[in-house]
Amino acid sequence: MKIAVLGATGQTGQYLVNQALQQGHTVTAIVRNPGKLAVHHDNLKVVEGDIFSEDSLKSHFKGQDVIMSCLGFPTSFFSGVTGYTLSMRAMVSAMRQTRVNRIITMTSWYTEPNSGTQSPYLIRFLLLPMIRSVLTNMFEMEQFLQKSDDINWTVVRPPGLKNLPASAQEFMTHEGYFVPDSNGSSVARGDVARFMLSLLNSNAWVQSAVAVTTKL
């Protein structure tokens, strides 16, 4: 397939690009700084683009089969995070103009404000308040996609991320804001990339969001 990847220089994005190339896909990595992507491959094209500009994205989306986003934005204590919604609006506009219909993106467990009430004590009272500005904007992006009826979107929600390559472990999934009874508070970034790429051959989670982790 022809895949346009946003967030390709990020830690999860690099796993996604490498795995996609290993699987024989053709990848266009849309990055702010092409020098930051250290991968070289015949099927990889690295282009400079503005993730917040539909005009900038449009030229790179043309002819693609699917858009995959591993974009992440830092938490902010002083102002709200807006990167997830602003970039997704630009992506969806560019997709409509170039007739690309499929997008796979990632957020996190516990994006919905009340979904963390069953989480372990430290996560609920320490971690979630610290990253709430990020989770709130992720949730707003999810709601934006839910209203985009003409787009075949999938949101992948992993828990905490470990900077590790893909394992061969089985996935646990749940159509909700976390995976119940999973004991998994973190997952390898390589496994998140592996799960996102597995969706290319499946309609299992089209127009829905799925919480995912690996079996321990």
Side-chain angles (χ1 to χ4, degrees):
M1 281 196 186
K2 292 180 180 166
I3 307 171
V5 179
L6 292 94
T9 56
Q11 291 175 310
T12 308
Q14 289 182 52
Y15 283 114
L16 184 81
V17 167
N18 280 309
Q19 289 179 33
L21 292 168
Q22 284 163 16
Q23 291 174 21
H25 300 296
T26 303
V27 177
T28 300
I30 303 168
V31 297
R32 196 173 49 206
N33 180 357
K36 277 182 77 177
L37 196 62
V39 189
H40 300 281
H41 194 283
D42 289 347
N43 287 344
L44 173 66
K45 188 167 139 196
V46 183
V47 297
E48 202 171 326
D50 179 355
I51 55 172
F52 301 117
S53 159
E54 62 186 88
D55 287 338
S56 176
L57 294 176
K58 222 163 46 179
S59 54
H60 305 310
F61 280 11
K62 213 167 276 176
Q64 303 290 345
D65 297 311
V66 59
I67 312 301
M68 300 186 84
S69 173
C70 299
L71 289 170
F73 300 91
T75 191
S76 166
F77 296 105
F78 305 107
S79 60
V81 175
T82 56
Y84 293 97
T85 40
L86 293 178
S87 60
M88 186 54 71
R89 281 189 192 127
M91 281 185 256
V92 167
S93 292
M95 286 172 70
R96 286 178 175 136
Q97 290 175 58
T98 52
R99 307 223 164 131
V100 180
N101 192 250
R102 182 85 174 103
I103 184 163
I104 299 165
T105 188
M106 58 182 279
T107 57
S108 171
W109 284 17
Y110 307 126
T111 50
E112 197 276 327
N114 299 314
S115 59
T117 52
Q118 306 301 311
S119 62
Y121 187 88
L122 280 178
I123 290 176
R124 184 179 174 189
F125 293 106
L126 196 65
L127 178 66
L128 294 184
M130 277 171 62
I131 60 169
R132 180 47 63 194
S133 60
V134 165
L135 295 175
T136 296
N137 194 227
M138 285 177 166
F139 184 58
E140 288 163 354
M141 180 183 84
E142 291 171 351
Q143 290 182 306
F144 168 73
L145 283 172
Q146 280 164 14
K147 293 178 190 135
S148 306
D149 298 340
D150 57 326
I151 300 288
N152 287 335
W153 56 271
T154 302
V155 171
V156 175
R157 295 182 179 131
L161 297 168
K162 294 182 286 200
N163 202 21
L164 292 171
S167 69
Q169 288 169 303
E170 237 181 290
F171 288 111
M172 295 174 73
T173 56
H174 183 69
E175 192 166 359
Y177 295 97
F178 57 95
V179 179
D181 308 319
S182 64
N183 302 322
S185 58
S186 63
V187 67
R189 290 180 186 274
D191 282 326
V192 178
R194 175 167 68 100
F195 183 79
M196 289 174 78
L197 286 164
S198 76
L199 298 171
L200 295 176
N201 308 313
S202 151
N203 291 323
W205 299 102
V206 169
Q207 291 196 326
S208 61
V210 52
V212 63
T213 189
T214 45
K215 287 192 175 171
L216 293 176

Coordinates of all heavy atoms in Angstrom, one line a residue, residues 16 19 23 35 62-63 72 79 86 89 93 102 105 118 133 138 146 151 154 172 181 184 186-187 194 199 204-205:
L16 N 6.9 2.5 13.2 CA 5.9 2.4 12.2 C 6.5 2.4 10.8 O 6.2 1.5 9.9 CB 4.8 3.5 12.3 CG 3.6 3.3 11.4 CD1 2.7 2.3 11.9 CD2 2.9 4.6 11.2
Q19 N 8.7 -0.8 10.1 CA 7.8 -2.0 10.0 C 7.1 -2.0 8.6 O 6.9 -3.0 7.9 CB 6.9 -2.2 11.1 CG 7.5 -2.6 12.4 CD 6.5 -2.7 13.6 OE1 5.4 -3.1 13.4 NE2 7.0 -2.4 14.8
Q23 N 7.3 -4.6 5.5 CA 6.2 -5.3 5.0 C 5.9 -5.0 3.5 O 5.0 -5.5 2.9 CB 4.9 -4.9 5.8 CG 4.9 -5.5 7.2 CD 3.8 -4.9 8.1 OE1 2.7 -4.5 7.6 NE2 3.9 -5.0 9.4
G35 N 16.0 16.0 8.1 CA 17.3 15.5 8.6 C 17.2 14.6 9.9 O 18.1 13.9 10.2
K62 N -1.9 13.2 -2.1 CA -2.4 12.8 -3.4 C -1.9 11.4 -3.8 O -0.7 11.1 -3.7 CB -2.0 13.8 -4.5 CG -2.9 14.0 -5.6 CD -2.6 15.2 -6.4 CE -3.2 16.5 -5.8 NZ -2.9 17.7 -6.5
G63 N -2.8 10.5 -4.1 CA -2.3 9.1 -4.5 C -2.1 8.2 -3.4 O -1.7 7.0 -3.7
G72 N 2.5 13.4 18.3 CA 2.4 13.6 19.8 C 2.7 15.0 20.1 O 3.5 15.6 19.4
S79 N -1.3 26.4 29.4 CA -2.4 26.6 28.4 C -2.8 25.3 27.8 O -2.1 24.3 28.0 CB -1.8 27.5 27.2 OG -0.7 26.8 26.6
L86 N -6.0 20.5 15.9 CA -5.6 21.4 14.7 C -5.0 20.6 13.6 O -5.3 20.8 12.4 CB -4.6 22.5 15.2 CG -5.2 23.5 16.1 CD1 -4.1 24.5 16.6 CD2 -6.4 24.3 15.5
R89 N -7.7 18.4 11.9 CA -8.6 19.2 11.0 C -7.9 19.4 9.7 O -8.6 19.2 8.6 CB -9.0 20.5 11.6 CG -10.1 20.4 12.7 CD -10.6 21.7 13.1 NE -11.4 21.5 14.3 CZ -11.2 22.2 15.5 NH1 -10.3 23.1 15.6 NH2 -12.0 21.9 16.5
S93 N -9.3 17.7 6.1 CA -9.6 18.6 5.0 C -8.7 18.2 3.7 O -9.2 18.1 2.6 CB -9.2 20.0 5.3 OG -10.1 20.5 6.3
R102 N -8.9 6.8 4.2 CA -8.6 6.0 5.3 C -7.5 6.7 6.2 O -6.5 7.1 5.7 CB -8.1 4.6 4.9 CG -7.8 3.6 6.0 CD -9.0 2.9 6.5 NE -8.7 1.8 7.4 CZ -8.9 1.9 8.7 NH1 -9.4 3.1 9.2 NH2 -8.7 0.9 9.5
T105 N -4.9 6.7 13.5 CA -4.2 7.6 14.3 C -4.1 7.0 15.7 O -4.8 6.0 16.0 CB -4.8 9.0 14.3 OG1 -4.0 9.9 15.0 CG2 -6.2 9.0 15.0
Q118 N -11.5 3.9 37.5 CA -11.2 2.5 37.9 C -9.7 2.3 37.8 O -9.2 1.1 38.1 CB -11.9 1.5 37.0 CG -13.4 1.7 36.9 CD -14.1 1.6 38.3 OE1 -13.8 0.7 39.0 NE2 -14.9 2.6 38.6
S133 N -4.0 17.9 30.1 CA -4.2 18.8 29.0 C -4.0 18.0 27.7 O -4.6 18.4 26.7 CB -3.2 19.9 29.1 OG -1.8 19.4 29.1
M138 N -6.7 15.1 23.0 CA -6.9 13.9 22.3 C -8.4 13.5 22.2 O -8.9 13.1 21.2 CB -6.1 12.7 23.1 CG -4.6 12.7 22.9 SD -3.9 11.4 23.9 CE -2.3 11.3 23.3
Q146 N -15.4 11.3 15.2 CA -16.7 10.7 15.3 C -17.7 11.4 14.5 O -18.7 10.8 14.0 CB -17.1 10.6 16.7 CG -16.4 9.4 17.5 CD -16.5 9.5 19.0 OE1 -17.3 10.3 19.5 NE2 -15.7 8.7 19.7
I151 N -15.3 9.7 6.5 CA -13.9 9.3 6.6 C -13.9 7.9 7.3 O -14.5 7.8 8.3 CB -13.1 10.3 7.4 CG1 -13.1 11.7 6.7 CG2 -11.6 9.8 7.6 CD1 -12.3 11.8 5.4
T154 N -9.8 5.2 12.2 CA -9.6 4.3 13.4 C -8.7 5.0 14.4 O -7.6 5.5 14.0 CB -9.0 3.0 13.0 OG1 -9.8 2.3 12.0 CG2 -8.9 2.1 14.2
M172 N -4.6 -7.5 23.3 CA -5.9 -7.5 24.0 C -6.5 -6.2 23.5 O -5.8 -5.1 23.6 CB -5.7 -7.5 25.5 CG -5.1 -8.8 26.0 SD -4.8 -8.6 27.8 CE -6.4 -8.7 28.5
D181 N -9.1 -5.6 33.1 CA -8.4 -6.8 33.5 C -7.2 -7.1 32.7 O -6.9 -8.3 32.5 CB -9.4 -8.0 33.4 CG -10.7 -7.7 34.1 OD1 -10.7 -7.2 35.2 OD2 -11.8 -8.1 33.5
G184 N -2.0 -4.3 32.2 CA -1.0 -3.6 31.4 C -1.1 -2.1 31.5 O -2.0 -1.5 31.0
S186 N 1.6 -0.4 30.5 CA 2.4 0.1 29.4 C 2.6 -1.0 28.3 O 2.4 -2.2 28.5 CB 3.8 0.5 29.9 OG 4.5 -0.6 30.4
V187 N 2.9 -0.5 27.1 CA 3.0 -1.4 25.9 C 4.2 -0.9 25.1 O 4.6 0.3 25.1 CB 1.7 -1.3 25.1 CG1 1.5 0.0 24.5 CG2 1.7 -2.4 24.1
R194 N 2.9 -2.1 15.2 CA 2.5 -3.4 14.7 C 1.0 -3.5 14.6 O 0.4 -4.0 13.6 CB 3.1 -4.6 15.5 CG 2.7 -6.0 15.2 CD 3.5 -7.0 15.9 NE 3.3 -7.1 17.3 CZ 2.6 -8.0 17.9 NH1 1.9 -8.9 17.2 NH2 2.5 -8.0 19.3
L199 N -4.1 -3.1 10.9 CA -5.4 -2.6 10.6 C -5.6 -2.4 9.1 O -6.7 -2.2 8.5 CB -5.8 -1.4 11.3 CG -5.8 -1.5 12.9 CD1 -5.9 -0.1 13.5 CD2 -7.0 -2.4 13.3
A204 N -11.9 -4.3 10.9 CA -12.4 -4.6 12.3 C -12.7 -3.3 13.1 O -13.7 -3.3 13.8 CB -11.3 -5.4 13.1
W205 N -11.9 -2.3 13.0 CA -12.2 -1.1 13.8 C -12.4 0.2 13.0 O -12.0 1.3 13.4 CB -11.0 -0.9 14.8 CG -10.8 -2.1 15.7 CD1 -9.9 -3.0 15.6 CD2 -11.5 -2.4 16.9 NE1 -10.0 -4.0 16.6 CE2 -11.0 -3.6 17.4 CE3 -12.6 -1.8 17.5 CZ2 -11.5 -4.2 18.5 CZ3 -13.1 -2.4 18.7 CH2 -12.6 -3.6 19.2

